[in-house]
Amino acid sequence: MPWEKTFDIDKATDKATEVFWKKGYEATSMADLIDAMQINKGSLYNAFGSKKALFDRALARYDQQNRAAKIAMLRQWDDPVAAIRALFDGLIDEARGDPRNMGCFIINTAQDLPNQPPEVAETVRQSLGDIESFFHEMIEKGQAKGQIPATVEARTTAQALLSMLVGLRLLARGAAGIPALEAIRDGALRLVENA
């Protein structure tokens, strides 16, 4: 008789995501996953194949539901400077509401990129690349609308904004308070406002 799953794959993945996010890939044991997902070891292997495959799925699902969804929404905004501000403000709001200082699953994973398999590294690179592309698009859109000075170099400024966003995410894990995160946001906005 073929194996038949008796649980929701997406809900189980979300439970696994919490564990991976909190502990990281290496520190997460199969027992941790089985306990959090409330399934047995055989079901985990039958549904996901391996711990690595489950981590890949968890990271990609997190990225799609969080970063990709936010960026897609902000790309639609008519005011590009307001969209950039809203992205940074949203991250600061997340930090305020993150008493466990878990930060961002993608950025946390990026810190350990040399030890990640190629599929995970590609997910992280694509995620960060899309954020940089968002900044680049907003700068060009703002320049076309006369909101951002033509003297702002779009590519290098987008790279700087991405670096500031990553720094904000890292510091939000408990290394800095909200005023420091707001200072990063303000610095980021100075790169595009009245530069």
Side-chain angles (χ1 to χ4, degrees):
M1 184 165 125
W3 173 80
E4 188 176 319
K5 74 173 180 64
T6 57
F7 59 91
D8 183 294
I9 294 279
D10 289 336
K11 287 181 182 174
T13 301
D14 293 343
K15 290 176 183 176
T17 298
E18 284 288 319
V19 179
F20 284 130
W21 190 358
K22 187 186 305 179
K23 299 183 85 171
Y25 178 78
E26 289 298 328
T28 298
S29 69
M30 291 302 289
D32 293 331
L33 294 169
I34 289 163
D35 184 52
M37 297 166 74
Q38 300 177 327
I39 61 175
N40 64 45
K41 192 173 186 177
S43 294
L44 188 149
Y45 282 113
N46 283 328
F48 300 101
S50 66
K51 175 183 162 184
K52 187 189 91 50
L54 174 55
F55 181 80
D56 293 351
R57 177 179 167 80
L59 188 67
R61 182 168 165 79
Y62 171 90
D63 186 50
Q64 282 302 308
Q65 290 184 323
N66 293 280
R67 192 266 326 148
K70 287 175 193 165
I71 294 292
M73 183 266 301
L74 290 170
R75 276 189 164 108
Q76 305 306 311
W77 284 33
D78 191 49
D79 183 335
V81 175
I84 292 170
R85 172 182 279 280
L87 179 58
F88 279 95
D89 283 344
L91 300 180
I92 292 168
D93 287 344
E94 284 180 26
R96 276 191 190 97
D98 183 11
R100 297 183 294 169
N101 296 323
M102 288 180 56
C104 169
F105 189 24
I106 294 287
I107 301 299
N108 297 354
T109 303
Q111 293 180 84
D112 192 38
L113 214 52
N115 299 316
Q116 299 296 341
E119 302 83 15
V120 170
E122 185 58 26
T123 297
V124 170
R125 282 190 202 95
Q126 285 179 0
S127 179
L128 296 178
D130 191 47
I131 296 169
E132 183 181 322
S133 293
F134 162 76
F135 286 135
H136 188 263
E137 290 164 24
M138 293 302 102
I139 291 165
E140 289 186 336
K141 185 175 180 180
Q143 289 172 328
K145 293 169 83 60
Q147 291 179 279
I148 297 175
T151 54
V152 172
E153 205 292 305
R155 179 59 57 203
T156 57
T157 303
Q159 291 168 344
L161 290 170
L162 174 63
S163 297
M164 295 172 92
L165 182 144
V166 170
L168 185 150
R169 285 298 229 176
L170 291 174
L171 292 173
R173 293 201 70 196
I178 296 301
L181 305 183
E182 290 171 338
I184 293 171
R185 177 207 54 211
D186 296 345
L189 290 170
R190 279 194 294 275
L191 294 178
V192 295
E193 293 177 328
N194 306 315

